[in-house]
Amino acid sequence: MQPRRRCAIGIEGVRKRFGDGDQAVEALAGVTLEIADNAFFTLLGPSGCGKTTLLRLIAGFEQADAGRILLFGEDIGGLPPNRRPVNTVFQHYALFPHMTVAENVAFGLERLGRPRAEIEATVRRMLELVKLGPLAGRRPAQLSGGQQQRVALARALAPHPRVLLLDEPLSALDLKLRREMRVELKQLQEENGITFLFVTHDQEEALTMSDRIAVMSEGRVQQVGSPQEIYDRPRNRFVAEFIGQGNFLPVTIERIEGGTALCRTGFGARLVAPASRELAAGTRAILAIRPERLRLTAPGEAGAALCGRIERLVYVGSDTDCRVRLEGGPVVEVRLRNAGDGVPPAGPGAPVGIAFDPAAARLLPEEG
């Protein structure tokens, strides 16, 4: 068992409202989080869920209405932004257009009064780290979007902050460059040993880079866990729907035997799933299962839990998305891997069975 890492950021019952009276909006509704030192931690959620507000509170750009924010055990609620040992990388990199790359990276160090020799050595090291050494003399307008993003990162890392806050820094990049920068960001975090707090609405970004993820909705934390926990064991329907694709079948739990729940759908199918401690026999629930955990079989084949007819096939490169209308029930999505040597499924209208490992299913509360 690994030793527990010390807490870098502690969020304790933080609340924040904007506006007054009937027009007031509760951006954060008593958020409590613990972010470990040297972790890549992501706040994930849709627009307006409160993730950027929380980031701005940590940075000192906003003040909380209630609760505490601790940085390595110290309450920083009363400190102005320039006295907090954190740096922020914004969505629109905020580089100084009249300065060179090297001058942009040196700016924060100069404001801190560091010796010239130290500044020059640090700038060289940071530009080497982000692979921009040959471009030190260029100005931001002469750089690509990905290069500008690297300059912003180098500038933020140069003073070696204890925490780096990243507010959707990849959203302005194209898909190919975003994927490349995800790898580089994670590598930078590991090499520097700095706590990264990353804000995004992109679930793929969160899953590929994070050590831990907090999924947020309407100013509240819905679930905190590793990427695998969030994806495979969502706590409620919001998390399951927001992270990836899912099929959601309303069921009634008929009985529970040895950790297994026997369920009945409204269209007559009987399904098996791992029991949930929160859901007892006789209650209604949602059986959630990911499209890639389903497989097509011949109609009536042993092991097929569901049956229906193919409505549509969509080729998406590495996979084929298959929509199947269940007999007497809803449409479910099945994601099939295009291995190159398999037999493609029959076309629309063909009858099929659907099988899945019960361990891959998840029973969720009917509400939430």
Side-chain angles (χ1 to χ4, degrees), residues 115-136:
R116 174 49 54 183
E118 179 187 332
I119 292 174
E120 291 175 356
T122 302
V123 169
R124 282 196 301 271
R125 188 169 66 254
M126 288 298 106
L127 292 182
E128 182 180 340
L129 187 66
V130 297
K131 303 177 180 65
L132 288 178
L135 306 183

Side-chain angles (χ1 to χ4, degrees), residues 170 173-184:
L170 307 183
L173 306 180
D174 62 54
L175 179 60
K176 183 175 183 294
L177 190 52
R178 281 205 310 274
R179 287 178 171 166
E180 292 173 358
M181 289 306 303
R182 288 172 195 163
V183 177
E184 294 189 19

Side-chain angles (χ1 to χ4, degrees), residues 291-362:
E292 69 272 15
R293 301 302 180 94
L294 301 176
R295 59 184 178 86
L296 298 183
T297 72
E301 182 177 309
L306 300 164
C307 55
R309 290 183 179 273
I310 294 175
E311 278 198 348
R312 189 176 68 193
L313 297 170
V314 179
Y315 177 79
V316 290
S318 61
D319 302 307
T320 292
D321 286 340
C322 180
R323 289 170 57 90
V324 178
R325 171 72 65 178
L326 300 179
E327 288 187 5
V331 171
V332 297
E333 300 279 349
V334 182
R335 173 155 286 203
L336 308 172
R337 189 75 179 165
N338 295 329
D341 56 357
V343 178
V352 292
I354 297 177
F356 62 89
D357 181 352
R362 176 83 172 169

Side-chain angles (χ1 to χ4, degrees), residues 77-329:
L79 292 179
N82 64 318
R83 291 189 57 200
R84 301 184 183 201
V86 304
N87 269 350
T88 307
V89 177
F90 297 99
Q91 181 177 348
H92 303 291
Y93 315 124
L95 300 176
F96 299 112
H98 62 288
M99 293 184 180
T100 65
V101 166
E103 290 167 344
N104 265 280
V105 177
F107 179 79
L109 298 170
E110 292 169 346
R111 293 288 299 271
L112 292 171
R114 302 284 173 82
R116 174 49 54 183
E118 179 187 332
I119 292 174
E120 291 175 356
T122 302
V123 169
R124 282 196 301 271
R125 188 169 66 254
M126 288 298 106
L127 292 182
E128 182 180 340
L129 187 66
V130 297
K131 303 177 180 65
L132 288 178
L135 306 183
R138 293 193 184 181
R139 301 192 189 280
Q142 298 172 297
L143 304 176
S144 68
Q147 290 167 339
Q148 290 181 38
Q149 199 254 14
R150 289 187 179 92
V151 176
L153 280 169
R155 184 177 64 182
L157 289 168
H160 202 74
R162 302 180 78 183
V163 172
L164 187 64
L165 310 175
L166 301 109
D167 188 8
E168 305 213 38
L170 307 183
S171 60
L173 306 180
D174 62 54
L175 179 60
K176 183 175 183 294
L177 190 52
R178 281 205 310 274
R179 287 178 171 166
E180 292 173 358
M181 289 306 303
R182 288 172 195 163
V183 177
E184 294 189 19
L185 263 182
K186 181 60 177 172
Q187 185 175 336
L188 279 171
Q189 185 267 325
E190 291 173 345
E191 290 176 356
N192 281 270
I194 294 173
T195 303
F196 275 28
L197 181 56
F198 188 88
V199 162
T200 185
H201 63 274
D202 186 318
Q203 51 96 5
E204 187 175 323
E205 282 184 3
L207 291 173
T208 54
M209 292 192 295
S210 310
D211 300 316
R212 303 278 287 175
I213 299 170
V215 182
M216 297 185 65
S217 172
E218 298 181 344
R220 292 175 169 83
V221 174
Q222 299 294 319
Q223 186 173 350
V224 179
S226 69
Q228 185 174 357
E229 288 169 342
I230 295 290
Y231 187 82
D232 288 335
R233 297 189 294 279
R235 181 174 294 169
N236 56 41
R237 182 163 180 168
F238 174 84
V239 175
E241 287 186 315
F242 194 78
I243 304 290
Q245 293 178 291
N247 295 298
F248 303 95
L249 301 176
V251 297
T252 298
I253 301 174
E254 292 189 322
R255 64 182 188 276
I256 296 174
E257 297 178 353
T260 298
L262 307 177
C263 308
R264 184 185 73 254
T265 68
F267 52 92
R270 281 179 161 74
L271 304 174
V272 178
S276 168
R277 287 179 294 179
E278 292 80 23
L279 298 169
T283 59
R284 295 180 59 82
I286 299 294
L287 188 146
I289 188 162
R290 301 291 184 187
E292 69 272 15
R293 301 302 180 94
L294 301 176
R295 59 184 178 86
L296 298 183
T297 72
E301 182 177 309
L306 300 164
C307 55
R309 290 183 179 273
I310 294 175
E311 278 198 348
R312 189 176 68 193
L313 297 170
V314 179
Y315 177 79
V316 290
S318 61
D319 302 307
T320 292
D321 286 340
C322 180
R323 289 170 57 90
V324 178
R325 171 72 65 178
L326 300 179
E327 288 187 5

Side-chain angles (χ1 to χ4, degrees), residues 45-61:
S47 298
C49 72
K51 56 189 187 294
T52 294
T53 297
L54 184 56
L55 199 79
R56 290 178 62 82
L57 290 173
I58 296 168
F61 303 138

